Amino acid sequence: MREEKPKNELPIASVDDAKDYVIRVLDHPAGVEAAQWNALLDAQPSAMPFMRHEYLLAMHESGSATTPTGWTPQFLTVEQDGQLIAACALYLKDHSYGEYVFDWAWADAYQRHGLRYYPKLLGAVPFTPVPGPRLLARDAQGRAVLLRAIEQIATQAKLSSAHLLFMDEADRAAAEAAGWMLRSTVQFHWQQREPEPYADFADFLASMQREKRKKIQQERRKVVDAGVTFNWLEGRAISEDDWDYFYRCYSITYREHRSTPYLSRDFFARMASTMPENWMMVLARRNGERVAASLIGIDRAVGNGNGNGSAFGRYWGATEHIPCLHFAACYYEPLAWCIANNMRRFEGGAQGEHKMARGLLPVQTWSAHWLAHPQFAQAVAEFLQREGSGIESYMDELNERRPFKAA
């Protein structure tokens, strides 16, 4: 006879093929064994460092993504014979900040009709718009069980909706098969040239149209003429003082936009301690003094579908205003580093059509949405169909304006 289920176990009576599974909802990332979570992540074809247990735990324990900030953990795990076979980082959200897929209009429509949109259930990496696996499972059946469990959690808690953001292709296929509504947005990514990789940044520039190449050369020259030099620091070569300076820059960027930083200094301290190999910092100096910093996430893993590795533009800031320094620190130096380090891809973050003129090309990203209210679900489905047609047209328009020479 099985022991009585603990309170955080979820009965899945509606899932016929789940009778041998133990499904839990946990209110803290530490409730999942790190080694098992990371092993499950590493089995995904699109594994990336921002879904690692260390990253999610740092978000929580640093106070960056917790209930007081509107991110209440509801980590979903599926076990079979004592082994973790599927999992999903879920959060109860009472707002839509820090998501980069915008549903404020949906929340407003609910409110105007006297309905409550928040809290909602969200499967995402807090403050991190990087595509990757959200449904950690070893096969399609495991993803299907996760999706049905998410629906049941939302239904039992009488939540308005559930959402999965910046999914990979396997998650997208599973969500579509489960009847979830799909939504696409556009990001801009750089890809290393194939089959003959760029030899250096100059080779990369030579592949671009003359007008675009000239603009980049002018922007870089302005920075050089201002007396700025750059250093690339990786991993444990980034000192605590460097991290302190970066955080000062990061905070300035938010302050300039009349906002408050999402991430605490303690979060970055935890990254330096538990995931140092996943960070590269670009430091800009003038007259020997630091004037700006940008932080790049890196994944050198081979065999995870990312070729020789990927890099991810994350944060930046400056303590002096120098024309074109942002472009140099956030795009040109990271791209030069990627080429020098044989990286296959550089992701420039959310939005930003200006990135295209700097060699980053449009890529569609995907989210999936489940709404409990039938009439609102129908209205949102119709909206997403119209929005999706617009995104397709936008992608076609962007691809006609590619900055590279014709092949």
Side-chain angles (χ1 to χ4, degrees), residues 118-263:
Y118 302 110
K120 64 181 183 179
L121 193 60
L122 183 75
V125 182
F127 321 116
T128 309
V130 177
R134 299 295 177 261
L135 302 171
L136 304 185
R138 298 190 181 279
D139 52 31
Q141 180 179 347
R143 293 184 184 89
V145 171
L146 285 172
L147 286 165
R148 282 176 284 189
I150 292 170
E151 291 177 22
Q152 189 158 337
I153 293 169
T155 300
Q156 290 178 349
K158 295 181 170 56
L159 303 178
S160 69
S161 53
H163 313 261
L164 295 171
L165 307 185
F166 298 103
M167 307 178 299
D168 66 8
E169 286 301 314
D171 291 351
R172 175 190 168 189
E176 186 172 24
W180 286 44
M181 296 176 287
L182 298 182
R183 187 180 192 184
S184 67
T185 55
V186 178
Q187 290 186 353
F188 295 85
H189 300 174
W190 173 85
Q191 294 278 347
Q192 175 61 284
R193 184 174 60 191
E194 294 180 348
E196 183 181 354
Y198 298 117
D200 50 29
F201 194 80
D203 189 22
F204 163 66
L205 282 183
S207 71
M208 302 189 76
Q209 297 171 8
R210 181 178 180 276
E211 179 185 350
K212 300 295 190 296
R213 179 173 66 250
K214 184 177 179 180
K215 182 175 183 179
I216 292 174
Q217 290 170 332
Q218 289 173 341
E219 290 175 344
R220 296 183 83 203
R221 189 176 301 117
K222 285 182 181 179
V223 176
V224 171
D225 290 347
V228 176
T229 59
F230 294 95
N231 296 102
W232 302 335
L233 300 174
E234 287 186 53
R236 298 197 184 279
I238 306 173
S239 70
E240 184 175 358
D241 185 58
D242 293 328
W243 281 108
D244 285 340
Y245 177 75
F246 158 76
Y247 194 75
R248 178 185 169 196
C249 293
Y250 167 74
S251 300
I252 287 172
T253 298
Y254 277 84
R255 189 160 62 244
E256 288 176 345
H257 292 85
R258 300 182 179 181
S259 185
T260 303
Y262 285 133
L263 303 175

Side-chain angles (χ1 to χ4, degrees), residues 175 179-183 367-371 376-378 380-381 384:
W180 286 44
M181 296 176 287
L182 298 182
R183 187 180 192 184
S367 58
H369 308 269
W370 176 90
L371 274 67
F376 268 99
Q378 181 61 36
V380 168
L384 292 179

Side-chain angles (χ1 to χ4, degrees), residues 53-76:
H53 190 273
E54 295 88 340
Y55 190 86
L56 297 169
L57 184 64
M59 282 282 178
H60 186 86
E61 295 197 333
S62 68
S64 301
T66 58
T67 299
T69 63
W71 297 77
T72 299
Q74 298 279 278
F75 279 40
L76 176 63

